[in-house]
Amino acid sequence: TWNQVRKLQKNWTVKYGIPMLLLVVGGSFGLREFTQIRYDAQKIKKKLDPTLEARVNTKKQLAILQDEYEKLKDLDLDVWKNIRGPRPWEDSKEYQEEQLARLNKGT
């Protein structure tokens, strides 16, 4: 029997292959457990954004819509001026100053 054990110890597959296989398979199971712990912790810490929660919860959605309606109700939406934004080749600061000057001249 000792003779067979010595033969196995000299065998390349037994010496290097089996430990490598055990390391790969065992590492796979170990990593699965650690990543599961990570995702469980994230799930516990995760809180929904209020706007996203409102989309999910219909009661809160109505409350947010009513708040937005109250904000828009007081605005006068019939009186407005169309102001063109600067083109990429125009200097934005200079163009904004021109727009403000034109608006101030008109009022």
Side-chain angles (χ1 to χ4, degrees), residues 1-37:
T1 61
W2 289 110
N3 209 11
Q4 290 176 342
V5 171
R6 285 188 187 142
K7 276 187 182 179
L8 284 177
Q9 285 179 343
K10 291 180 181 179
N11 189 345
W12 190 87
T13 305
V14 173
K15 194 172 183 180
Y16 296 107
I18 292 175
M20 182 65 178
L21 187 65
L22 288 173
L23 182 68
V24 170
V25 172
S28 171
F29 284 109
L31 284 175
R32 186 185 66 188
E33 293 301 320
F34 283 119
T35 54
Q36 188 62 44
I37 291 170

XYZ file of all heavy atoms in Angstrom, residues 1-37:
305
model
N 0.813 -1.206 0.000
C 0.000 0.000 0.000
C 0.849 1.259 0.000
O 0.478 2.255 -0.622
C -0.933 0.030 1.228
O -0.168 0.014 2.396
C -1.919 -1.082 1.183
N 1.981 1.222 0.732
C 2.854 2.405 0.747
C 3.454 2.648 -0.633
O 3.702 3.799 -1.014
C 3.982 2.229 1.777
C 3.480 2.301 3.196
C 3.386 1.289 4.087
C 2.994 3.466 3.859
N 2.862 1.725 5.266
C 2.611 3.088 5.153
C 2.829 4.786 3.487
C 2.090 3.972 6.080
C 2.309 5.667 4.424
C 1.950 5.256 5.689
N 3.624 1.586 -1.323
C 4.155 1.691 -2.667
C 3.176 2.420 -3.589
O 3.567 3.242 -4.413
C 4.461 0.275 -3.186
C 5.597 0.261 -4.180
O 6.291 1.249 -4.331
N 5.794 -0.879 -4.823
N 1.897 2.115 -3.441
C 0.863 2.755 -4.251
C 0.721 4.230 -3.885
O 0.518 5.088 -4.747
C -0.481 2.044 -4.061
C -0.518 0.675 -4.675
C -1.839 -0.041 -4.384
O -2.564 0.332 -3.474
N -2.115 -1.089 -5.155
N 0.875 4.550 -2.616
C 0.780 5.939 -2.169
C 1.929 6.755 -2.753
O 1.749 7.892 -3.203
C 0.761 6.012 -0.619
C 0.897 7.442 -0.137
C -0.493 5.364 -0.072
N 3.124 6.170 -2.782
C 4.288 6.873 -3.341
C 4.116 7.108 -4.843
O 4.498 8.140 -5.371
C 5.554 6.078 -3.058
C 5.975 6.199 -1.626
C 7.321 5.566 -1.386
N 7.572 5.571 0.057
C 8.163 4.604 0.697
N 8.610 3.547 0.046
N 8.352 4.683 1.985
N 3.505 6.137 -5.522
C 3.235 6.293 -6.956
C 2.251 7.441 -7.170
O 2.410 8.247 -8.093
C 2.661 5.008 -7.546
C 3.658 4.001 -7.945
C 2.974 2.850 -8.668
C 3.978 1.791 -9.041
N 3.340 0.679 -9.721
N 1.231 7.503 -6.346
C 0.232 8.578 -6.468
C 0.847 9.947 -6.176
O 0.492 10.938 -6.790
C -0.958 8.327 -5.529
C -1.956 7.260 -5.948
C -3.029 7.080 -4.885
C -2.601 7.626 -7.265
N 1.782 10.003 -5.211
C 2.427 11.276 -4.875
C 3.281 11.775 -6.031
O 3.436 12.977 -6.215
C 3.284 11.131 -3.617
C 2.484 11.070 -2.345
C 3.381 10.891 -1.118
O 4.552 10.501 -1.229
N 2.811 11.150 0.047
N 3.831 10.888 -6.817
C 4.647 11.272 -7.959
C 3.800 11.582 -9.196
O 4.293 12.204 -10.134
C 5.656 10.174 -8.278
C 6.724 10.022 -7.228
C 7.702 8.932 -7.594
C 8.736 8.792 -6.488
N 9.699 7.719 -6.774
N 2.551 11.165 -9.198
C 1.668 11.393 -10.342
C 1.366 12.890 -10.457
O 0.935 13.543 -9.500
C 0.375 10.585 -10.167
C -0.475 10.611 -11.420
O -0.268 11.429 -12.302
N -1.426 9.699 -11.471
N 1.555 13.468 -11.646
C 1.364 14.898 -11.882
C -0.092 15.325 -11.658
O -0.351 16.376 -11.088
C 1.790 15.219 -13.320
C 1.871 16.691 -13.599
C 2.940 17.485 -13.385
C 0.851 17.514 -14.125
N 2.657 18.773 -13.743
C 1.364 18.815 -14.206
C -0.461 17.287 -14.528
C 0.620 19.890 -14.680
C -1.201 18.359 -14.993
C -0.654 19.646 -15.067
N -1.037 14.519 -12.091
C -2.451 14.849 -11.957
C -2.862 14.927 -10.496
O -3.575 15.839 -10.087
C -3.324 13.801 -12.676
O -2.904 13.701 -14.031
C -4.788 14.167 -12.639
N -2.404 13.973 -9.709
C -2.757 13.967 -8.291
C -2.058 15.105 -7.574
O -2.641 15.752 -6.704
C -2.400 12.603 -7.654
C -2.600 12.631 -6.146
C -3.231 11.493 -8.272
N -0.816 15.380 -7.945
C -0.022 16.382 -7.255
C -0.502 17.809 -7.555
O -0.546 18.657 -6.662
C 1.439 16.234 -7.654
C 2.406 16.977 -6.779
C 3.826 16.602 -7.148
C 4.816 17.268 -6.240
N 6.183 16.919 -6.597
N -0.855 18.091 -8.815
C -1.221 19.456 -9.194
C -2.672 19.601 -9.663
O -3.312 20.617 -9.422
C -0.297 19.950 -10.314
C 1.135 20.049 -9.881
C 2.069 19.124 -10.326
C 1.546 21.054 -9.032
C 3.397 19.196 -9.935
C 2.870 21.140 -8.635
C 3.785 20.216 -9.090
O 5.080 20.297 -8.696
N -3.194 18.617 -10.348
C -4.524 18.722 -10.959
C -5.660 18.733 -9.956
O -6.548 19.580 -10.007
N -5.653 17.788 -9.028
C -6.743 17.689 -8.053
C -6.779 18.902 -7.120
O -7.855 19.465 -6.893
C -6.664 16.349 -7.285
C -6.967 15.196 -8.254
C -7.638 16.335 -6.114
C -6.812 13.819 -7.659
N -5.638 19.380 -6.582
C -5.713 20.598 -5.759
C -6.224 21.816 -6.539
O -6.993 22.618 -6.013
C -4.277 20.809 -5.297
C -3.661 19.471 -5.335
C -4.321 18.773 -6.485
N -5.811 21.913 -7.811
C -6.287 23.031 -8.630
C -7.782 22.935 -8.853
O -8.511 23.929 -8.768
C -5.531 23.033 -9.968
C -5.913 24.157 -10.868
S -5.431 25.722 -10.126
C -5.924 26.832 -11.398
N -8.271 21.761 -9.131
C -9.696 21.551 -9.338
C -10.480 21.872 -8.066
O -11.523 22.539 -8.121
C -9.942 20.101 -9.772
C -11.357 19.749 -10.202
C -11.724 20.512 -11.454
C -11.470 18.262 -10.435
N -9.972 21.420 -6.923
C -10.635 21.731 -5.649
C -10.637 23.239 -5.377
O -11.631 23.786 -4.886
C -9.954 20.990 -4.499
C -10.184 19.487 -4.442
C -9.315 18.866 -3.351
C -11.641 19.188 -4.210
N -9.547 23.916 -5.702
C -9.472 25.367 -5.507
C -10.489 26.103 -6.383
O -11.179 27.001 -5.911
C -8.055 25.847 -5.820
C -7.798 27.329 -5.623
C -7.866 27.672 -4.138
C -6.460 27.715 -6.197
N -10.611 25.709 -7.625
C -11.542 26.376 -8.540
C -12.988 26.132 -8.118
O -13.794 27.058 -8.020
C -11.303 25.903 -9.997
C -12.413 26.383 -10.910
C -9.962 26.395 -10.490
N -13.331 24.903 -7.842
C -14.708 24.576 -7.455
C -15.040 25.177 -6.088
O -16.088 25.784 -5.901
C -14.918 23.050 -7.463
C -16.279 22.687 -6.885
C -14.795 22.515 -8.882
N -14.128 25.037 -5.129
C -14.359 25.609 -3.796
C -14.430 27.128 -3.838
O -15.248 27.752 -3.154
N -13.571 27.758 -4.652
C -13.598 29.210 -4.793
C -14.898 29.693 -5.388
O -15.424 30.743 -5.014
N -15.430 28.940 -6.314
C -16.704 29.303 -6.922
C -17.821 29.329 -5.878
O -18.605 30.280 -5.824
C -17.049 28.305 -8.023
O -18.358 28.512 -8.486
N -17.881 28.313 -5.055
C -18.904 28.288 -4.009
C -18.675 29.392 -2.978
O -19.627 30.026 -2.508
C -18.934 26.916 -3.317
C -19.589 25.860 -4.139
C -18.839 24.842 -4.709
C -20.954 25.878 -4.349
C -19.438 23.869 -5.478
C -21.567 24.900 -5.113
C -20.809 23.897 -5.683
N -17.419 29.626 -2.615
C -17.123 30.687 -1.650
C -17.500 32.057 -2.178
O -18.095 32.876 -1.470
N -17.150 32.338 -3.438
C -17.500 33.628 -4.027
C -18.996 33.817 -4.129
O -19.510 34.922 -3.951
C -16.856 33.765 -5.410
C -15.371 34.074 -5.411
C -14.842 34.063 -6.834
C -15.108 35.424 -4.770
N -19.710 32.746 -4.418
C -21.170 32.848 -4.497
C -21.751 33.287 -3.161
O -22.629 34.143 -3.109
C -21.766 31.506 -4.923
C -23.268 31.609 -5.167
C -23.875 30.289 -5.473
N -23.759 29.456 -4.263
C -24.050 28.184 -4.217
N -24.453 27.561 -5.278
N -23.947 27.523 -3.086
N -21.248 32.730 -2.086
C -21.749 33.102 -0.762
C -21.426 34.557 -0.422
O -22.266 35.292 0.082
C -21.162 32.169 0.305
C -21.639 30.737 0.206
C -23.139 30.602 0.326
O -23.738 31.303 1.165
O -23.709 29.813 -0.440
N -20.189 34.987 -0.718
C -19.804 36.363 -0.412
C -20.583 37.378 -1.249
O -20.985 38.418 -0.757
C -18.297 36.562 -0.601
C -17.494 35.992 0.527
C -16.577 34.987 0.305
C -17.648 36.477 1.817
C -15.825 34.464 1.348
C -16.907 35.963 2.870
C -16.003 34.957 2.631
N -20.798 37.072 -2.523
C -21.565 38.010 -3.348
C -23.018 38.049 -2.912
O -23.656 39.099 -2.982
C -21.475 37.655 -4.841
O -21.872 36.302 -5.035
C -20.092 37.882 -5.377
N -23.556 36.940 -2.461
C -24.938 36.935 -1.977
C -25.071 37.815 -0.742
O -26.043 38.551 -0.602
C -25.385 35.503 -1.667
C -26.851 35.397 -1.337
C -27.723 35.828 -2.505
O -27.472 35.464 -3.646
N -28.736 36.615 -2.231
N -24.095 37.773 0.142
C -24.099 38.639 1.327
C -24.082 40.101 0.892
O -24.807 40.937 1.424
C -22.891 38.319 2.240
C -23.072 36.943 2.869
C -22.720 39.393 3.314
C -21.839 36.438 3.583
